[in-house]
Amino acid sequence: DVGLPRDVNSVYGFGQLSWKNAVFLDLTARNDWSSTLPPDAWSFFYPSVGINAVLSELATFPSWFSFAKVRASFAEVGNDTNPYQLERTATFAAGGLGGYLSISSTLPNKDLKPEETRSTEIGADLRFLNNRLGFDFTYYKTNSINQLFALPLPVGSGASSYFTNGGDVQNSGFEAMVTFTPVQNSSFNWDISVNYAKNKSLV
């Protein structure tokens, strides 16, 4: 929130390795320290790794097989929360004879953890007939855990909600694309693309 005190310090690193200009390995690492989390959860680390391999540069394929690349990646992302979620807060406002004190209606949680999102993806890019026919496939799965949100409470409890971690939301699916160029010459190209995607969400 704008104007609320919040300190986040971060360290980030990135590296890339290549082999024969055909296999590429990308690595990242990041660590955050956030003032909005409890002391034992201030620090949270999240890395990523991705690999791409151009198989057509590593082996000899038939002349009709133009290009082949496979890829895979894994990544984690961390996230903190807004300030003042660890203690119940009070606000003094003008009014009445001397003002009044307003207590937050959300119960805090001293044991909050950072949110985490973990993503995995694999795919392939295949092309044939001098790139006039192509297939691109991707499968992915993403899990978001320890999400930070407010749970509603009964009115008689003295508070309207309780802020906590919870849930595991998973999204998985695949995407596929087929490209085809039935006509290709110096003055005219006719390109056709067909896409298909499916996603399944599970809480």
Side-chain angles (χ1 to χ4, degrees):
D1 291 345
V2 177
L4 295 181
R6 182 182 194 169
D7 289 325
V8 178
N9 296 310
S10 303
V11 175
Y12 176 78
F14 170 79
Q16 184 182 73
L17 299 174
S18 64
W19 181 63
K20 290 188 175 182
N21 203 32
V23 179
F24 303 91
L25 178 66
D26 296 314
L27 301 168
T28 69
R30 176 169 172 168
N31 201 98
D32 285 357
W33 291 264
S34 174
S35 64
T36 65
L37 295 170
D40 59 352
W42 276 342
S43 174
F44 49 100
F45 174 75
Y46 44 103
S48 73
V49 57
I51 186 168
N52 292 271
V54 183
L55 302 182
S56 52
E57 294 290 333
L58 299 174
T60 301
F61 287 87
S63 59
W64 51 266
F65 204 140
S66 309
F67 179 81
K69 181 176 76 172
V70 294
R71 59 186 181 272
S73 65
F74 172 80
E76 289 190 14
V77 177
N79 190 34
D80 61 358
T81 185
N82 293 324
Y84 304 132
Q85 300 295 343
L86 305 179
E87 302 287 346
R88 198 166 189 182
T89 59
T91 303
F92 184 80
L97 298 177
Y100 62 89
L101 196 64
S102 174
I103 305 297
S104 170
S105 61
T106 300
L107 294 180
N109 186 342
K110 295 183 179 180
D111 299 316
L112 292 179
K113 300 177 182 179
E115 292 182 342
E116 293 181 45
T117 299
R118 300 169 183 168
S119 304
T120 303
E121 181 179 304
I122 57 175
D125 182 3
L126 308 175
R127 303 175 198 171
F128 308 90
L129 305 176
N130 198 26
N131 294 325
R132 295 182 66 171
L133 177 64
F135 300 91
D136 196 309
F137 306 93
T138 300
Y139 170 80
Y140 63 88
K141 185 175 80 167
T142 301
N143 288 81
S144 297
I145 63 175
N146 291 330
Q147 295 184 93
L148 293 158
F149 54 87
L151 291 173
L153 294 176
V155 177
S157 67
S160 64
S161 60
Y162 174 61
F163 197 78
T164 187
N165 293 101
D168 181 355
V169 178
Q170 176 178 289
N171 284 284
S172 62
F174 67 91
E175 300 175 353
M177 181 173 66
V178 179
T179 59
F180 181 47
T181 305
V183 178
Q184 185 179 55
N185 54 50
S186 59
S187 58
F188 178 75
N189 273 16
W190 179 19
D191 298 320
I192 300 174
S193 298
V194 178
N195 296 304
Y196 179 79
K198 181 179 181 180
N199 181 77
K200 181 179 180 182
S201 183
L202 178 65
V203 179

